[in-house]
Amino acid sequence: MPCLQGLKVRKMLQVIDKTNPELTKTSMTGRRVLFAFLLAASFVALSALMFATLSPGGHTPLDFFILACFMVTLPWTIIGFWNAVIGLLVMRFSKDPVAAVCPIGAGDASQSISSSTALLSCIKDEDVDALETNLTAMASNLIRAGSGHNFTLYVLSDTSRDDTAQQEQQMAARLSARFSGQMDVVYRRRPVNTAFKAGNIEDFCERWGDRHEFAIVLDADSYMSASAIIDLVRRMEANPQIGILQSLVVGLPTDSAFARVFQFGMRLGMRSYTIGSAWWQGDCGPYWGHNAILRLKPFKAHCKLPVLHGTGPLSGPVLSHDQVEAVLMRRAGYEVRVLPQESGSYEANPPHLLEFIRRDLRWCQGNLQYRKLLGLKGLKPVSRAQLVLAILMFLGSPAWIGFMVGAATLGMTTDYAPYRADTGAVLFFSVLTMVFAPKLATVADIIARVDLRKAFGGPIRILLSVMAEIVYAAMLAPIMAVAHTVFMAGLAFGKSIGWGAQARGVARLPVMLVASKLWPQTLFGAAGLAWIVQQPIGLVWPVIPVAVGPLLATMLAVMTSTTTLGTLAIRSTLWRIPEETTPPAELLQLHLPALQKGKGAEFQPQDLPTAAAEPEPVEAR
């Protein structure tokens, strides 16, 4: 069945004529119908397998509870699998994979851009020195590329601390003086961060939005090369129907052991997944809230977020603003697309587990708010489905916990084999394949290409890194599921995550602090291990990481937060990303500790410049 569907997908890749809008529209409809069929067929097949697996002794209420929990977890698993299959087919059989899923022209590279674009650095209580390094490098590179006069840098502060705000003002003054006559710099601090980041950008739109055609949204940890920025602008100039164009953001080289392994896995899964999803989402693509370009006129007119009615943590301003703005832009008739190419668009990932959990819980609260937006009039079917899936992304965690607890209870309360071994084995390996399909698909493409094999460190290093990362991911997943479940239970009692300053530097976490935060995971792991030791090892070996990961959560969080383990991870050369093998010129300006500590095959720390290069004076050009 998957092979036959794969052949259908492959044929669909060829059914697109970029010069004929009607044929293109028909092709996109066909892609979405095919993807919906694959999703529905897989859902029914896996649900039927689970129903059959639970059939010994008849179906009890507990069996139906387990089945219901399993079904809630399925949509994202299945979507990830088919995105990976389609992504791999596009990567291997399309001459230009990016153009196949994002058929928009890049404009004339020989012509200078002519529009005015705002660079929006949205910050709150950030490390000012690190921010200044990033902004200086980005502005310098744009000026050196001859496009500085086309951009204005806005430092949009929601900082709550007066001392930090004073440092920000001084930084903005230095930048303004440094780039005087070459790029304007504007600093603004809001005394109250109403509506969080969305409100920050809305305030910019009201004050300065009419001055510019486009805006590129940057987080405090965002970094983009001049070529990536200019390419986004040039594509927007050439395609007036596009309202939001999202770049593919990859992690910066990091000296955090936690982030290094995590972002290696993300890097593997992201390319096949994003290409596959862009193949069927098309003009209803994602917006991730940063490293993306907005067309300001329709954004101002159509993307103002509602204040959600009612009381409690799921009311008030929308936390996860990005996807809502994307569906509103699409409702207004403008396209929202992702450009799935890994070049020049970066971010820093959370340096330790506690910050990673905190970020995820903010997304969890924000995504659950979408239930109040499902009834918005005029949304495209794909857009409405995206909101539903964003909710299911986090509802899957308590469903998974319920499934595991239900399955364990079933095993302890029956005096017969509670499931069919044959269908159970098929189901287990099917789901396992689907879960890791995005990573495996990208690995297959990397191994097949000489340039990518070399960039990721060679086939042996890649395979060792992948195996270690899969174990890491298997231990991390239940830790996150417990965190989501406990947090969602707290939402019922008014608990809220808010939007505070984010931790970005590598520093050892205090053991007692971590233990106080992760005790639910430890308790879950201990209970799971107590159940496992009472079962035949041949029966329960696949779920051992489910117990071990949460049980060791405190130790893992502390160890992976240390600079010592981070340095060892770098020295091991495992989990290497291409930017470490051959660092792009734009990254050498940032003096990243990971590059200074690393010893890539084509790069040595002494190759780093001692200071960011100055832009040429206007008179010299």
Side-chain angles (χ1 to χ4, degrees), residues 534-588:
Q534 301 177 41
Q535 310 301 317
I537 189 64
L539 179 70
V540 298
W541 66 265
V543 298
I544 289 176
V546 173
V548 172
L551 183 64
L552 301 180
T554 296
M555 184 184 73
L556 290 173
V558 173
M559 289 180 60
T560 56
S561 72
T562 62
T563 55
T564 300
L565 194 60
T567 300
L568 288 175
I570 293 171
R571 298 295 190 193
S572 74
T573 70
L574 293 175
W575 312 292
R576 176 181 287 177
I577 56 178
E579 289 76 17
E580 292 177 283
T581 301
T582 308
E586 65 264 15
L587 293 190
L588 299 181

Side-chain angles (χ1 to χ4, degrees), residues 276-306:
S277 63
W279 182 85
W280 63 270
Q281 289 181 357
D283 52 13
C284 289
Y287 169 42
W288 301 322
H290 60 97
N291 294 46
I293 188 167
L294 317 175
R295 192 176 299 274
L296 280 172
K297 187 174 181 179
F299 187 84
K300 283 184 59 181
H302 303 290
C303 296
K304 185 173 181 178
L305 299 183

Side-chain angles (χ1 to χ4, degrees), residues 75 78 89 147 173 179 217 224 255 321 325 344 356 360 371 393 424 448 470 473 492 525 562 578 598 603:
I78 298 170
L89 289 171
S147 299
F179 302 125
V217 183
M224 298 184 72
D255 57 336
H321 61 96
E325 290 161 344
F356 182 74
D360 235 41
R371 68 182 181 85
M393 177 189 298
I470 285 176
T562 62
F603 168 71

Side-chain angles (χ1 to χ4, degrees), residues 256-429:
S256 159
F258 174 83
R260 181 178 178 85
V261 185
F262 167 77
Q263 72 183 33
F264 175 81
M266 279 290 294
R267 183 68 170 267
L268 292 184
M270 182 171 54
R271 187 153 59 93
S272 65
Y273 185 96
T274 305
I275 289 175
S277 63
W279 182 85
W280 63 270
Q281 289 181 357
D283 52 13
C284 289
Y287 169 42
W288 301 322
H290 60 97
N291 294 46
I293 188 167
L294 317 175
R295 192 176 299 274
L296 280 172
K297 187 174 181 179
F299 187 84
K300 283 184 59 181
H302 303 290
C303 296
K304 185 173 181 178
L305 299 183
V307 176
L308 303 179
H309 61 83
T311 59
L314 299 185
S315 303
V318 177
L319 278 170
S320 297
H321 61 96
D322 38 23
Q323 191 56 49
V324 182
E325 290 161 344
V327 302
L328 293 177
M329 181 68 82
R330 189 68 194 100
R331 183 177 70 172
Y334 289 84
E335 297 181 4
V336 178
R337 291 192 177 270
V338 62
L339 190 66
Q341 58 186 21
E342 298 173 331
S343 60
S345 183
Y346 309 97
E347 67 174 343
N349 284 299
H352 54 71
L353 179 58
L354 292 190
E355 182 61 27
F356 182 74
I357 291 175
R358 194 163 72 96
R359 185 186 70 170
D360 235 41
L361 297 186
R362 189 178 73 238
W363 291 348
C364 175
Q365 182 176 334
N367 284 22
L368 293 179
Q369 289 179 306
Y370 292 171
R371 68 182 181 85
K372 296 188 175 183
L373 300 172
L374 295 177
L376 284 175
K377 296 180 180 180
L379 296 186
K380 302 291 184 181
V382 173
S383 297
R384 207 177 298 276
Q386 286 169 328
L387 295 181
V388 173
L389 290 172
I391 296 171
L392 287 176
M393 177 189 298
F394 289 100
L395 289 182
S397 287
W400 181 85
I401 295 290
F403 172 80
M404 297 301 295
V405 172
T409 302
L410 183 65
M412 292 187 295
T413 56
T414 58
D415 54 4
Y416 54 85
Y419 66 86
R420 284 179 53 179
D422 54 349
T423 57
V426 173
L427 185 63
F428 173 76
F429 287 107

Side-chain angles (χ1 to χ4, degrees), residues 97-112:
V98 173
V101 299
C102 187
I104 59 173
D108 188 352
S110 65
Q111 298 294 319
S112 300

Side-chain angles (χ1 to χ4, degrees), residues 8-48:
K8 292 181 180 179
V9 172
R10 187 174 170 186
K11 289 182 67 176
M12 286 291 296
L13 299 178
Q14 303 167 0
V15 186
I16 183 167
D17 180 357
K18 303 182 186 70
T19 64
N20 187 329
E22 288 305 315
L23 184 57
T24 300
K25 182 177 179 181
T26 302
S27 174
M28 185 54 63
T29 300
R31 292 181 183 191
R32 289 168 178 169
V33 169
L34 173 60
F35 192 84
F37 170 76
L38 293 172
L39 175 59
S42 301
F43 184 87
V44 171
L46 291 173
S47 298

